[in-house]
PDB file of all heavy atoms in Angstrom:
ATOM      1  N   TRP A  80      73.812  45.422  68.870  1.00  0.00           N
ATOM      2  CA  TRP A  80      72.678  45.925  68.063  1.00  0.00           C
ATOM      3  C   TRP A  80      71.931  44.935  67.256  1.00  0.00           C
ATOM      4  O   TRP A  80      72.589  44.037  66.705  1.00  0.00           O
ATOM      5  CB  TRP A  80      73.239  47.025  67.017  1.00  0.00           C
ATOM      6  CG  TRP A  80      73.389  48.421  67.548  1.00  0.00           C
ATOM      7  CD1 TRP A  80      74.543  49.042  67.884  1.00  0.00           C
ATOM      8  CD2 TRP A  80      72.506  49.452  67.488  1.00  0.00           C
ATOM      9  NE1 TRP A  80      74.287  50.297  68.305  1.00  0.00           N
ATOM     10  CE2 TRP A  80      73.024  50.634  68.012  1.00  0.00           C
ATOM     11  CE3 TRP A  80      71.135  49.457  67.073  1.00  0.00           C
ATOM     12  CZ2 TRP A  80      72.252  51.806  68.116  1.00  0.00           C
ATOM     13  CZ3 TRP A  80      70.487  50.680  67.150  1.00  0.00           C
ATOM     14  CH2 TRP A  80      70.992  51.735  67.730  1.00  0.00           C
ATOM     15  N   LYS A  81      70.694  45.102  67.209  1.00  0.00           N
ATOM     16  CA  LYS A  81      69.979  44.266  66.120  1.00  0.00           C
ATOM     17  C   LYS A  81      70.397  44.779  64.847  1.00  0.00           C
ATOM     18  O   LYS A  81      70.137  45.989  64.479  1.00  0.00           O
ATOM     19  CB  LYS A  81      68.398  44.379  66.287  1.00  0.00           C
ATOM     20  CG  LYS A  81      67.947  43.652  67.631  1.00  0.00           C
ATOM     21  CD  LYS A  81      66.457  43.777  67.840  1.00  0.00           C
ATOM     22  CE  LYS A  81      66.029  42.997  69.165  1.00  0.00           C
ATOM     23  NZ  LYS A  81      64.479  43.141  69.342  1.00  0.00           N
ATOM     24  N   THR A  82      70.931  44.012  63.962  1.00  0.00           N
ATOM     25  CA  THR A  82      71.440  44.407  62.712  1.00  0.00           C
ATOM     26  C   THR A  82      70.488  45.205  61.808  1.00  0.00           C
ATOM     27  O   THR A  82      70.872  46.232  61.357  1.00  0.00           O
ATOM     28  CB  THR A  82      72.047  43.129  61.920  1.00  0.00           C
ATOM     29  OG1 THR A  82      72.923  42.489  62.712  1.00  0.00           O
ATOM     30  CG2 THR A  82      72.795  43.596  60.706  1.00  0.00           C
ATOM     31  N   LYS A  83      69.291  44.671  61.814  1.00  0.00           N
ATOM     32  CA  LYS A  83      68.349  45.335  60.946  1.00  0.00           C
ATOM     33  C   LYS A  83      68.093  46.828  61.365  1.00  0.00           C
ATOM     34  O   LYS A  83      67.786  47.723  60.488  1.00  0.00           O
ATOM     35  CB  LYS A  83      67.019  44.568  60.806  1.00  0.00           C
ATOM     36  CG  LYS A  83      66.232  44.447  62.127  1.00  0.00           C
ATOM     37  CD  LYS A  83      65.008  43.711  61.834  1.00  0.00           C
ATOM     38  CE  LYS A  83      64.224  43.442  63.230  1.00  0.00           C
ATOM     39  NZ  LYS A  83      63.871  44.832  63.867  1.00  0.00           N
ATOM     40  N   ASP A  84      68.125  46.996  62.608  1.00  0.00           N
ATOM     41  CA  ASP A  84      67.801  48.362  63.199  1.00  0.00           C
ATOM     42  C   ASP A  84      69.002  49.399  62.987  1.00  0.00           C
ATOM     43  O   ASP A  84      68.701  50.584  62.601  1.00  0.00           O
ATOM     44  CB  ASP A  84      67.499  48.278  64.649  1.00  0.00           C
ATOM     45  CG  ASP A  84      66.093  47.466  64.931  1.00  0.00           C
ATOM     46  OD1 ASP A  84      65.331  47.402  63.929  1.00  0.00           O
ATOM     47  OD2 ASP A  84      65.890  47.034  65.930  1.00  0.00           O
ATOM     48  N   ILE A  85      70.198  48.916  63.263  1.00  0.00           N
ATOM     49  CA  ILE A  85      71.304  49.913  62.977  1.00  0.00           C
ATOM     50  C   ILE A  85      71.475  50.153  61.502  1.00  0.00           C
ATOM     51  O   ILE A  85      71.854  51.304  61.156  1.00  0.00           O
ATOM     52  CB  ILE A  85      72.715  49.292  63.739  1.00  0.00           C
ATOM     53  CG1 ILE A  85      73.686  50.406  63.719  1.00  0.00           C
ATOM     54  CG2 ILE A  85      73.099  48.128  62.961  1.00  0.00           C
ATOM     55  CD1 ILE A  85      74.866  50.058  64.572  1.00  0.00           C
ATOM     56  N   LEU A  86      71.113  49.227  60.702  1.00  0.00           N
ATOM     57  CA  LEU A  86      71.197  49.345  59.234  1.00  0.00           C
ATOM     58  C   LEU A  86      70.143  50.435  58.839  1.00  0.00           C
ATOM     59  O   LEU A  86      70.499  51.376  58.040  1.00  0.00           O
ATOM     60  CB  LEU A  86      71.004  48.092  58.445  1.00  0.00           C
ATOM     61  CG  LEU A  86      70.962  48.270  56.975  1.00  0.00           C
ATOM     62  CD1 LEU A  86      72.233  48.931  56.331  1.00  0.00           C
ATOM     63  CD2 LEU A  86      70.792  46.791  56.278  1.00  0.00           C
ATOM     64  N   GLU A  87      68.951  50.254  59.352  1.00  0.00           N
ATOM     65  CA  GLU A  87      67.838  51.169  59.051  1.00  0.00           C
ATOM     66  C   GLU A  87      68.211  52.632  59.444  1.00  0.00           C
ATOM     67  O   GLU A  87      67.813  53.479  58.840  1.00  0.00           O
ATOM     68  CB  GLU A  87      66.584  50.693  59.817  1.00  0.00           C
ATOM     69  CG  GLU A  87      65.329  51.307  59.275  1.00  0.00           C
ATOM     70  CD  GLU A  87      64.952  51.088  57.833  1.00  0.00           C
ATOM     71  OE1 GLU A  87      65.472  49.947  57.212  1.00  0.00           O
ATOM     72  OE2 GLU A  87      64.220  51.743  57.252  1.00  0.00           O
ATOM     73  N   ILE A  88      68.766  52.807  60.712  1.00  0.00           N
ATOM     74  CA  ILE A  88      69.182  54.123  61.000  1.00  0.00           C
ATOM     75  C   ILE A  88      70.197  54.723  60.069  1.00  0.00           C
ATOM     76  O   ILE A  88      69.979  55.944  59.642  1.00  0.00           O
ATOM     77  CB  ILE A  88      69.926  54.122  62.439  1.00  0.00           C
ATOM     78  CG1 ILE A  88      68.957  53.698  63.559  1.00  0.00           C
ATOM     79  CG2 ILE A  88      70.554  55.391  62.736  1.00  0.00           C
ATOM     80  CD1 ILE A  88      69.596  53.367  64.900  1.00  0.00           C
ATOM     81  N   HIS A  89      71.165  54.030  59.594  1.00  0.00           N
ATOM     82  CA  HIS A  89      71.958  54.573  58.556  1.00  0.00           C
ATOM     83  C   HIS A  89      71.371  54.776  57.179  1.00  0.00           C
ATOM     84  O   HIS A  89      71.801  55.723  56.469  1.00  0.00           O
ATOM     85  CB  HIS A  89      73.312  53.720  58.431  1.00  0.00           C
ATOM     86  CG  HIS A  89      74.224  53.779  59.656  1.00  0.00           C
ATOM     87  ND1 HIS A  89      73.974  53.041  60.858  1.00  0.00           N
ATOM     88  CD2 HIS A  89      75.320  54.405  59.837  1.00  0.00           C
ATOM     89  CE1 HIS A  89      74.862  53.307  61.688  1.00  0.00           C
ATOM     90  NE2 HIS A  89      75.828  54.254  61.066  1.00  0.00           N
ATOM     91  N   LYS A  90      70.394  54.019  56.873  1.00  0.00           N
ATOM     92  CA  LYS A  90      69.594  54.217  55.644  1.00  0.00           C
ATOM     93  C   LYS A  90      68.854  55.549  55.657  1.00  0.00           C
ATOM     94  O   LYS A  90      68.629  56.224  54.612  1.00  0.00           O
ATOM     95  CB  LYS A  90      68.695  53.079  55.319  1.00  0.00           C
ATOM     96  CG  LYS A  90      69.342  51.922  54.854  1.00  0.00           C
ATOM     97  CD  LYS A  90      68.350  50.696  54.573  1.00  0.00           C
ATOM     98  CE  LYS A  90      68.979  49.492  53.998  1.00  0.00           C
ATOM     99  NZ  LYS A  90      67.968  48.400  53.706  1.00  0.00           N
ATOM    100  N   ASN A  91      68.426  55.904  56.866  1.00  0.00           N
ATOM    101  CA  ASN A  91      67.604  57.145  57.058  1.00  0.00           C
ATOM    102  C   ASN A  91      68.360  58.360  57.517  1.00  0.00           C
ATOM    103  O   ASN A  91      67.838  59.434  57.581  1.00  0.00           O
ATOM    104  CB  ASN A  91      66.506  56.806  58.024  1.00  0.00           C
ATOM    105  CG  ASN A  91      65.432  55.922  57.312  1.00  0.00           C
ATOM    106  OD1 ASN A  91      64.456  56.372  56.768  1.00  0.00           O
ATOM    107  ND2 ASN A  91      65.532  54.679  57.551  1.00  0.00           N
ATOM    108  N   CYS A  92      69.639  58.156  57.738  1.00  0.00           N
ATOM    109  CA  CYS A  92      70.482  59.371  58.279  1.00  0.00           C
ATOM    110  C   CYS A  92      70.938  60.138  57.104  1.00  0.00           C
ATOM    111  O   CYS A  92      71.335  59.620  56.087  1.00  0.00           O
ATOM    112  CB  CYS A  92      71.598  58.838  59.047  1.00  0.00           C
ATOM    113  SG  CYS A  92      72.474  60.123  60.006  1.00  0.00           S
ATOM    114  N   PRO A  93      70.880  61.501  57.295  1.00  0.00           N
ATOM    115  CA  PRO A  93      71.490  62.415  56.192  1.00  0.00           C
ATOM    116  C   PRO A  93      72.970  62.061  55.983  1.00  0.00           C
ATOM    117  O   PRO A  93      73.657  61.438  56.881  1.00  0.00           O
ATOM    118  CB  PRO A  93      71.302  63.754  56.683  1.00  0.00           C
ATOM    119  CG  PRO A  93      70.253  63.681  57.752  1.00  0.00           C
ATOM    120  CD  PRO A  93      70.405  62.248  58.338  1.00  0.00           C
ATOM    121  N   PRO A  94      73.565  62.425  54.889  1.00  0.00           N
ATOM    122  CA  PRO A  94      75.034  62.296  54.707  1.00  0.00           C
ATOM    123  C   PRO A  94      75.772  62.931  55.879  1.00  0.00           C
ATOM    124  O   PRO A  94      75.529  64.043  56.158  1.00  0.00           O
ATOM    125  CB  PRO A  94      75.309  63.058  53.386  1.00  0.00           C
ATOM    126  CG  PRO A  94      73.944  62.961  52.569  1.00  0.00           C
ATOM    127  CD  PRO A  94      72.982  63.036  53.660  1.00  0.00           C
ATOM    128  N   ALA A  95      76.632  62.236  56.441  1.00  0.00           N
ATOM    129  CA  ALA A  95      77.363  62.665  57.657  1.00  0.00           C
ATOM    130  C   ALA A  95      78.689  62.024  57.772  1.00  0.00           C
ATOM    131  O   ALA A  95      78.960  61.105  57.056  1.00  0.00           O
ATOM    132  CB  ALA A  95      76.584  62.497  58.861  1.00  0.00           C
ATOM    133  N   GLU A  96      79.523  62.503  58.705  1.00  0.00           N
ATOM    134  CA  GLU A  96      80.831  62.021  58.947  1.00  0.00           C
ATOM    135  C   GLU A  96      81.048  61.690  60.435  1.00  0.00           C
ATOM    136  O   GLU A  96      80.062  61.865  61.195  1.00  0.00           O
ATOM    137  CB  GLU A  96      81.896  63.067  58.400  1.00  0.00           C
ATOM    138  CG  GLU A  96      81.961  63.240  56.955  1.00  0.00           C
ATOM    139  CD  GLU A  96      82.368  62.195  56.099  1.00  0.00           C
ATOM    140  OE1 GLU A  96      82.945  61.172  56.656  1.00  0.00           O
ATOM    141  OE2 GLU A  96      82.290  62.275  54.838  1.00  0.00           O
ATOM    142  N   ILE A  97      82.264  61.255  60.746  1.00  0.00           N
ATOM    143  CA  ILE A  97      82.586  61.122  62.184  1.00  0.00           C
ATOM    144  C   ILE A  97      83.934  61.807  62.417  1.00  0.00           C
ATOM    145  O   ILE A  97      84.511  62.222  61.508  1.00  0.00           O
ATOM    146  CB  ILE A  97      82.696  59.622  62.576  1.00  0.00           C
ATOM    147  CG1 ILE A  97      83.745  58.936  61.688  1.00  0.00           C
ATOM    148  CG2 ILE A  97      81.352  58.930  62.509  1.00  0.00           C
ATOM    149  CD1 ILE A  97      83.943  57.431  62.008  1.00  0.00           C
ATOM    150  N   GLY A  98      84.352  61.869  63.729  1.00  0.00           N
ATOM    151  CA  GLY A  98      85.559  62.455  63.985  1.00  0.00           C
ATOM    152  C   GLY A  98      85.762  63.978  63.616  1.00  0.00           C
ATOM    153  O   GLY A  98      84.632  64.687  63.660  1.00  0.00           O
ATOM    154  N   ILE A  99      86.906  64.263  63.235  1.00  0.00           N
ATOM    155  CA  ILE A  99      87.115  65.639  62.886  1.00  0.00           C
ATOM    156  C   ILE A  99      86.273  66.153  61.759  1.00  0.00           C
ATOM    157  O   ILE A  99      85.811  67.256  61.668  1.00  0.00           O
ATOM    158  CB  ILE A  99      88.642  65.854  62.591  1.00  0.00           C
ATOM    159  CG1 ILE A  99      89.489  65.732  63.794  1.00  0.00           C
ATOM    160  CG2 ILE A  99      88.911  67.246  62.113  1.00  0.00           C
ATOM    161  CD1 ILE A  99      90.994  65.689  63.684  1.00  0.00           C
ATOM    162  N   LYS A 100      86.062  65.271  60.742  1.00  0.00           N
ATOM    163  CA  LYS A 100      85.300  65.562  59.596  1.00  0.00           C
ATOM    164  C   LYS A 100      83.828  65.954  60.007  1.00  0.00           C
ATOM    165  O   LYS A 100      83.198  66.812  59.381  1.00  0.00           O
ATOM    166  CB  LYS A 100      85.255  64.464  58.574  1.00  0.00           C
ATOM    167  CG  LYS A 100      86.484  64.245  57.758  1.00  0.00           C
ATOM    168  CD  LYS A 100      86.345  63.171  56.668  1.00  0.00           C
ATOM    169  CE  LYS A 100      87.552  63.004  55.819  1.00  0.00           C
ATOM    170  NZ  LYS A 100      87.286  61.982  54.741  1.00  0.00           N
ATOM    171  N   GLY A 101      83.395  65.246  60.942  1.00  0.00           N
ATOM    172  CA  GLY A 101      81.935  65.548  61.494  1.00  0.00           C
ATOM    173  C   GLY A 101      81.740  66.931  62.009  1.00  0.00           C
ATOM    174  O   GLY A 101      80.607  67.494  62.042  1.00  0.00           O
ATOM    175  N   GLU A 102      82.826  67.465  62.495  1.00  0.00           N
ATOM    176  CA  GLU A 102      82.716  68.827  63.013  1.00  0.00           C
ATOM    177  C   GLU A 102      82.361  69.931  62.048  1.00  0.00           C
ATOM    178  O   GLU A 102      81.750  70.954  62.278  1.00  0.00           O
ATOM    179  CB  GLU A 102      84.044  69.242  63.659  1.00  0.00           C
ATOM    180  CG  GLU A 102      84.419  68.397  64.873  1.00  0.00           C
ATOM    181  CD  GLU A 102      85.844  68.647  65.481  1.00  0.00           C
ATOM    182  OE1 GLU A 102      86.455  69.638  65.010  1.00  0.00           O
ATOM    183  OE2 GLU A 102      86.183  67.885  66.423  1.00  0.00           O
ATOM    184  N   THR A 103      82.689  69.588  60.796  1.00  0.00           N
ATOM    185  CA  THR A 103      82.454  70.529  59.635  1.00  0.00           C
ATOM    186  C   THR A 103      81.388  70.118  58.650  1.00  0.00           C
ATOM    187  O   THR A 103      80.682  70.892  58.059  1.00  0.00           O
ATOM    188  CB  THR A 103      83.716  70.968  58.904  1.00  0.00           C
ATOM    189  OG1 THR A 103      84.231  69.773  58.334  1.00  0.00           O
ATOM    190  CG2 THR A 103      84.641  71.670  59.719  1.00  0.00           C
ATOM    191  N   LEU A 104      81.283  68.759  58.577  1.00  0.00           N
ATOM    192  CA  LEU A 104      80.264  68.239  57.536  1.00  0.00           C
ATOM    193  C   LEU A 104      79.088  67.577  58.208  1.00  0.00           C
ATOM    194  O   LEU A 104      78.294  67.035  57.432  1.00  0.00           O
ATOM    195  CB  LEU A 104      81.048  67.097  56.679  1.00  0.00           C
ATOM    196  CG  LEU A 104      82.241  67.767  55.934  1.00  0.00           C
ATOM    197  CD1 LEU A 104      82.948  66.567  55.206  1.00  0.00           C
ATOM    198  CD2 LEU A 104      81.831  68.799  54.943  1.00  0.00           C
ATOM    199  N   GLY A 105      78.876  67.744  59.491  1.00  0.00           N
ATOM    200  CA  GLY A 105      77.702  67.165  60.170  1.00  0.00           C
ATOM    201  C   GLY A 105      78.090  65.827  60.829  1.00  0.00           C
ATOM    202  O   GLY A 105      78.683  64.887  60.087  1.00  0.00           O
ATOM    203  N   HIS A 106      77.802  65.546  62.100  1.00  0.00           N
ATOM    204  CA  HIS A 106      78.345  64.470  62.757  1.00  0.00           C
ATOM    205  C   HIS A 106      77.233  63.403  62.926  1.00  0.00           C
ATOM    206  O   HIS A 106      76.149  63.657  63.357  1.00  0.00           O
ATOM    207  CB  HIS A 106      78.756  64.828  64.174  1.00  0.00           C
ATOM    208  CG  HIS A 106      79.743  63.864  64.823  1.00  0.00           C
ATOM    209  ND1 HIS A 106      79.514  62.582  64.989  1.00  0.00           N
ATOM    210  CD2 HIS A 106      81.118  63.999  65.049  1.00  0.00           C
ATOM    211  CE1 HIS A 106      80.528  61.963  65.556  1.00  0.00           C
ATOM    212  NE2 HIS A 106      81.482  62.778  65.581  1.00  0.00           N
ATOM    213  N   LEU A 107      77.522  62.249  62.239  1.00  0.00           N
ATOM    214  CA  LEU A 107      76.456  61.115  62.313  1.00  0.00           C
ATOM    215  C   LEU A 107      75.938  60.805  63.625  1.00  0.00           C
ATOM    216  O   LEU A 107      74.719  60.767  63.760  1.00  0.00           O
ATOM    217  CB  LEU A 107      77.069  59.864  61.646  1.00  0.00           C
ATOM    218  CG  LEU A 107      76.055  58.702  61.519  1.00  0.00           C
ATOM    219  CD1 LEU A 107      76.095  58.015  60.231  1.00  0.00           C
ATOM    220  CD2 LEU A 107      76.375  57.732  62.653  1.00  0.00           C
ATOM    221  N   GLU A 108      76.810  60.852  64.656  1.00  0.00           N
ATOM    222  CA  GLU A 108      76.350  60.508  65.997  1.00  0.00           C
ATOM    223  C   GLU A 108      75.298  61.477  66.475  1.00  0.00           C
ATOM    224  O   GLU A 108      74.426  61.138  67.227  1.00  0.00           O
ATOM    225  CB  GLU A 108      77.424  60.402  66.920  1.00  0.00           C
ATOM    226  CG  GLU A 108      77.123  59.690  68.275  1.00  0.00           C
ATOM    227  CD  GLU A 108      78.346  59.306  69.064  1.00  0.00           C
ATOM    228  OE1 GLU A 108      79.273  60.045  68.925  1.00  0.00           O
ATOM    229  OE2 GLU A 108      78.339  58.296  69.641  1.00  0.00           O
ATOM    230  N   GLU A 109      75.217  62.717  66.073  1.00  0.00           N
ATOM    231  CA  GLU A 109      74.269  63.777  66.397  1.00  0.00           C
ATOM    232  C   GLU A 109      73.034  63.638  65.576  1.00  0.00           C
ATOM    233  O   GLU A 109      71.889  63.628  65.933  1.00  0.00           O
ATOM    234  CB  GLU A 109      74.888  65.098  66.345  1.00  0.00           C
ATOM    235  CG  GLU A 109      75.816  65.429  67.498  1.00  0.00           C
ATOM    236  CD  GLU A 109      75.242  65.224  68.851  1.00  0.00           C
ATOM    237  OE1 GLU A 109      74.042  65.618  69.050  1.00  0.00           O
ATOM    238  OE2 GLU A 109      75.987  64.620  69.719  1.00  0.00           O
ATOM    239  N   LEU A 110      73.250  63.489  64.166  1.00  0.00           N
ATOM    240  CA  LEU A 110      72.119  63.441  63.252  1.00  0.00           C
ATOM    241  C   LEU A 110      71.296  62.134  63.437  1.00  0.00           C
ATOM    242  O   LEU A 110      70.026  62.232  63.243  1.00  0.00           O
ATOM    243  CB  LEU A 110      72.626  63.475  61.795  1.00  0.00           C
ATOM    244  CG  LEU A 110      73.410  64.941  61.410  1.00  0.00           C
ATOM    245  CD1 LEU A 110      73.967  64.704  60.082  1.00  0.00           C
ATOM    246  CD2 LEU A 110      72.322  66.011  61.486  1.00  0.00           C
ATOM    247  N   ALA A 111      71.995  61.082  63.782  1.00  0.00           N
ATOM    248  CA  ALA A 111      71.224  59.813  64.025  1.00  0.00           C
ATOM    249  C   ALA A 111      70.278  59.971  65.108  1.00  0.00           C
ATOM    250  O   ALA A 111      69.230  59.093  65.267  1.00  0.00           O
ATOM    251  CB  ALA A 111      72.215  58.685  64.242  1.00  0.00           C
ATOM    252  N   LYS A 112      70.500  60.822  66.159  1.00  0.00           N
ATOM    253  CA  LYS A 112      69.632  60.923  67.296  1.00  0.00           C
ATOM    254  C   LYS A 112      68.101  61.247  66.809  1.00  0.00           C
ATOM    255  O   LYS A 112      67.136  60.659  67.335  1.00  0.00           O
ATOM    256  CB  LYS A 112      70.089  61.899  68.352  1.00  0.00           C
ATOM    257  CG  LYS A 112      71.446  61.528  68.923  1.00  0.00           C
ATOM    258  CD  LYS A 112      71.818  62.600  69.829  1.00  0.00           C
ATOM    259  CE  LYS A 112      73.279  62.395  70.397  1.00  0.00           C
ATOM    260  NZ  LYS A 112      73.369  61.121  71.225  1.00  0.00           N
TER     261      LYS A 112
END
């Protein structure tokens, strides 16, 4: 990843989680799309 771009994605992504937490609190991998 170009560092500035993956950082920018996370700066613009809503609060989210991964794994089991993501199933109830919103999954970052989906929201980041």
Side-chain angles (χ1 to χ4, degrees):
W80 271 96
K81 290 180 178 176
T82 304
K83 63 180 179 60
D84 292 340
I85 191 171
L86 176 57
E87 192 67 17
I88 291 169
H89 287 81
K90 284 182 176 179
N91 284 273
C92 192
E96 296 289 351
I97 57 172
I99 296 175
K100 285 185 177 181
E102 296 175 6
T103 55
L104 301 175
H106 205 295
L107 179 133
E108 199 166 30
E109 290 302 318
L110 295 173
K112 295 179 188 297

